[in-house]
Amino acid sequence: MGKNQTRFIFVTGGVVSSLGKGIASASLGAVLESRGLLVTILKLDPYINLDPGTMSPFQHGEVFVTEDGSETDLDLGHYERFLKTKMTKDNNFTTGQVYEQVLKKERKGDYLGGTVQVIPHITDEIKNKILKGAGNSEVAIVEIGGTVGDIESQPFLEAIRQMKLELGSNQTLFLHLTLVPFLKSAGETKTKPTQRSVKEMLSHGLQPDILICRSDGVLAEEERRKIALFTNVQESSVISMPDVDSIYKIPVELNNQKVDEIVVNKLNLKCHKASLADWKRVINEDLNPKDSVTVSMVGKYTELADAYKSLNEALRHGGLKNNLKIDIRYVDSEIINTRNAKSLLKGSHAVLVPGGFGERGIEGMIAAVKFARVNKIPYLGICLGLQIAVIEHARNVVGLKGANSTEFDKETKHPVIGLISEWMDSEGIIEKRDENSDLGGTMRLGAQECLLDKGSLSRSLYKKAKILERHRHRYEVNNNYLDVLTSSGMKVAGKSKDKTLVEVVELNKHPWFVGCQFHPEFTSNPREGHPLFLGFIRAAKKYKRLNK
């Protein structure tokens, strides 16, 4: 379906942030996809940063990396976990990118000396980017970040208002997510915040077609009728979305309330009925575990769970396929050390060190890896977690005193991890970087091939010799130390396509020890899981059984 025929669903949020627009968008997309429609989802972020790549995880949560190497909002992770469609750099853009493009055009003289203004130049650029991101999809769900009423999001709201005028009402639909709070002191559910939120929408020329009302419990028919009356929305399109015990229930809940039928009828889409058997199976797996395992995640951003959003979900997926509930124990890498590692990691059935940047908390991670190695506890190191495993092995097994990464100690005598100045990307193009390069433009990013060694644990998990996984890092294992590392029990289980960079390491005399330079969590989903996480959780289950 071409851009002129693509149907657009614009998703906005009101009253407060963090209502779950991303999950709602992804869930609606999943239901529409199950009806045989080609669906994509875009996230429009009103902040002025060019992308979240250099933003603090404490402020913005994780950075999700797409297959084509774009650093994007974590909501794109939700989209990929719920849909079969892969996101690209065109599925996420920011105010910063819009203004940057407009200013480049102005410098080139594209506006013929005219005055550059928010309307029409900024709004036109937003519309162009939306159309580009929609591609050839039949349905494009467009999530507007922030909350209606925020000054930053006004150009985006104006742009989608214009799109409805240009495309017509049969090609556009406005879905507004809002909060209907219950006041315990009054014993009443209050609809006024939703009424005010819709009034704010109307002030921008936007009339919602569907309201999804977030609440503690199911809204009574009387409350839905009142909301419909005061917001000019049909009562059947006022959807009650209470808190659920599993986010995987949301596609089924939307379908139960016929949200997909409302969308299909409003947008004149031709498709079959929804088939949600996969999601019902996932819900059953999620709500009926037979046992549990504890995974200790030793990281530097543990104060904010969203900093490891995809990783948390990937562990959960591993649990689904092993009929296990995953208890994630977050361990601050600045607190753990060789003296207290035993007490902090006591009761762990597996240890994981995730990705990260900077020197803070590194020694704590090294202590955690040593504890897992010595005590034969299943270990998974991701990105930085692989590098920490190499440093720990070099120091404590090989005996290279002070071995380190040049990221943390530029004067180390044994730089087992270093900044590689050039490498070949997936298309065979040589990329280059140095210490002075911009942080956002010097990383190995996106999906790249990895060749797995025959006979390795990783090869047995993936069940194939060549895999494609996503990267986000600047530093690599120093090949000058490979001989001493491999001769002392460490195995290089995977290398890059050109066989110059280490991608996976394992330990020969350990039941389950894997470090990978890539981020497998970005390609895990609740329907199939991911080979590494399935194996990791299975190993944790075995460790628990053997160490009762």
Side-chain angles (χ1 to χ4, degrees):
M1 183 175 283
K3 294 175 183 176
N4 293 334
Q5 289 79 43
T6 299
R7 270 53 165 190
F8 291 90
I9 301 171
F10 297 105
V11 179
T12 54
V15 185
V16 295
S17 59
S18 302
L19 286 177
K21 292 194 304 295
I23 291 289
S25 299
S27 298
L28 177 56
V31 180
L32 294 174
E33 188 178 71
S34 79
R35 298 185 67 140
L37 295 166
L38 180 59
V39 181
T40 193
I41 313 181
L42 287 76
K43 174 69 183 292
L44 281 51
D45 281 309
Y47 53 75
I48 300 174
N49 304 64
L50 289 177
D51 61 45
T54 55
M55 294 172 70
S56 167
F58 290 119
Q59 280 203 11
H60 192 265
E62 82 167 4
V63 175
F64 184 81
V65 179
T66 58
E67 201 167 84
D68 64 355
S70 182
E71 295 177 292
T72 67
D73 186 81
L74 63 81
D75 275 331
L76 270 73
H78 293 313
Y79 306 161
E80 285 208 1
R81 286 188 286 274
F82 278 72
L83 296 180
K84 294 174 183 175
T85 304
K86 297 298 181 187
M87 303 297 119
T88 72
K89 65 181 185 299
D90 295 327
N91 287 84
N92 183 213
F93 62 88
T94 69
T95 293
Q97 291 175 22
V98 171
Y99 273 82
E100 181 187 46
Q101 193 62 37
V102 168
L103 290 172
K104 283 181 179 179
K105 289 180 179 179
E106 186 271 336
R107 291 290 85 187
K108 288 169 61 180
D110 289 0
Y111 301 123
L112 304 177
T115 302
V116 179
Q117 298 175 295
V118 173
I119 303 172
H121 302 97
I122 296 299
T123 50
D124 281 353
E125 188 63 32
I126 292 171
K127 289 186 290 183
N128 290 337
K129 284 183 174 292
I130 290 174
L131 291 171
K132 184 179 180 183
N136 291 318
S137 62
E138 293 173 282
V139 178
I141 301 173
V142 182
E143 179 192 346
I144 313 294
T147 307
V148 169
D150 295 344
I151 191 170
E152 295 95 340
S153 61
Q154 288 182 7
F156 293 98
L157 299 179
E158 172 59 22
I160 65 175
R161 184 194 69 81
Q162 292 177 22
M163 286 190 72
K164 180 174 182 179
L165 283 176
E166 293 163 5
L167 296 173
S169 59
N170 66 332
Q171 271 190 253
T172 54
L173 182 149
F174 295 124
L175 186 154
H176 190 54
L177 202 71
T178 181
L179 177 67
V180 182
F182 177 78
L183 297 186
K184 291 183 180 179
S185 58
E188 293 179 343
T189 297
K190 294 296 183 182
T191 65
K192 188 67 73 177
T194 291
Q195 295 175 39
R196 298 295 303 177
S197 184
V198 173
K199 188 173 182 180
E200 183 70 37
M201 287 277 286
L202 291 169
S203 72
H204 293 284
L206 304 171
Q207 168 64 57
D209 298 292
I210 300 174
L211 288 178
I212 293 185
C213 301
R214 295 282 290 106
S215 57
D216 291 334
V218 178
L219 290 183
E221 187 176 338
E222 180 184 346
E223 291 156 350
R224 291 176 59 243
R225 188 182 302 117
K226 183 179 180 181
I227 291 171
L229 178 64
F230 283 96
T231 60
N232 201 33
V233 175
Q234 290 185 5
E235 187 179 337
S236 61
S237 296
V238 177
I239 308 302
S240 174
M241 186 52 64
D243 295 338
V244 291
D245 51 2
S246 171
I247 61 169
Y248 307 128
K249 281 186 174 182
I250 299 176
V252 176
E253 288 295 321
L254 292 177
N255 176 248
N256 288 342
Q257 297 191 57
K258 296 181 168 45
V259 177
D260 53 317
E261 279 296 322
I262 297 169
V263 170
V264 166
N265 292 333
K266 170 74 167 59
L267 298 178
N268 297 319
L269 290 162
K270 305 298 181 186
C271 55
H272 57 69
K273 295 290 183 182
S275 176
L276 298 174
D278 282 353
W279 289 105
K280 291 175 182 178
R281 175 177 52 80
V282 169
I283 294 167
N284 182 60
E285 292 171 344
D286 192 31
L287 297 181
N288 298 287
K290 295 179 179 178
D291 199 357
S292 66
V293 294
T294 299
V295 177
S296 287
M297 188 188 299
V298 184
K300 57 176 66 182
Y301 313 121
T302 52
E303 293 174 28
L304 182 68
D306 272 359
Y308 301 115
K309 188 64 180 178
S310 291
L311 193 46
N312 295 336
E313 291 301 311
L315 288 169
R316 190 175 176 184
H317 303 159
L320 294 177
K321 305 310 166 189
N322 283 290
N323 301 118
L324 295 171
K325 179 179 179 291
I326 308 301
D327 295 319
I328 302 175
R329 181 191 297 169
Y330 296 102
V331 180
D332 189 335
S333 60
E334 286 194 281
I335 294 175
I336 191 171
N337 54 52
T338 53
R339 295 183 302 279
N340 63 17
K342 183 177 180 179
S343 61
L344 289 177
L345 297 177
K346 183 180 179 181
S348 302
H349 306 122
V351 174
L352 188 152
V353 173
F357 296 91
E359 184 181 0
R360 183 175 61 84
I362 294 303
E363 293 302 321
M365 294 179 184
I366 292 172
V369 173
K370 180 179 179 181
F371 185 83
R373 176 180 58 81
V374 171
N375 292 282
K376 308 295 185 185
I377 301 172
Y379 173 78
L380 177 60
I382 294 175
C383 197
L384 175 62
L386 171 143
Q387 297 174 8
I388 295 298
V390 170
I391 294 169
E392 192 279 328
H393 190 86
R395 288 184 186 181
N396 300 319
V397 178
V398 179
L400 301 178
K401 187 176 180 180
N404 215 328
S405 166
T406 55
E407 180 182 8
F408 317 132
D409 180 6
K410 289 182 172 58
E411 305 302 322
T412 178
K413 291 183 179 180
H414 298 291
V416 291
I417 307 293
L419 185 71
I420 305 302
S421 61
E422 64 180 49
W423 75 96
M424 182 185 296
D425 70 10
S426 59
E427 296 179 358
I429 299 171
I430 299 296
E431 299 276 358
K432 296 186 178 182
R433 59 188 166 190
D434 59 42
E435 291 285 356
N436 299 316
S437 300
D438 291 341
L439 291 178
T442 60
M443 289 191 282
R444 200 147 66 96
L445 281 167
Q448 297 187 22
E449 283 186 6
C450 167
L451 306 177
L452 297 177
D453 190 54
K454 189 175 182 180
S456 65
L457 171 61
S458 302
R459 176 83 168 258
S460 69
L461 292 170
Y462 279 95
K463 294 182 172 57
K464 51 186 173 181
K466 185 186 297 183
I467 60 173
L468 194 68
E469 292 283 11
R470 302 179 194 182
H471 294 69
R472 183 178 182 251
H473 59 97
R474 303 175 79 213
Y475 290 80
E476 311 278 357
V477 176
N478 187 340
N479 289 336
N480 293 325
Y481 286 87
L482 288 185
D483 286 344
V484 293
L485 291 169
T486 55
S487 63
S488 57
M490 180 165 275
K491 177 186 182 71
V492 176
K495 283 197 170 186
S496 58
K497 182 180 179 179
D498 59 3
K499 299 183 180 181
T500 61
L501 302 175
V502 173
E503 293 278 14
V504 184
V505 299
E506 299 173 1
L507 291 185
N508 292 327
K509 295 182 179 180
H510 193 285
W512 209 101
F513 191 105
V514 176
C516 55
Q517 191 60 77
F518 44 79
H519 287 268
E521 68 270 27
F522 291 149
T523 51
S524 180
N525 71 72
R527 294 176 300 280
E528 289 91 25
H530 184 285
L532 278 183
F533 290 98
L534 295 180
F536 182 52
I537 298 303
R538 192 161 52 244
K541 180 180 180 180
K542 181 178 180 181
Y543 179 86
K544 180 180 181 179
R545 188 182 75 248
L546 295 176
N547 292 273
K548 284 186 177 181

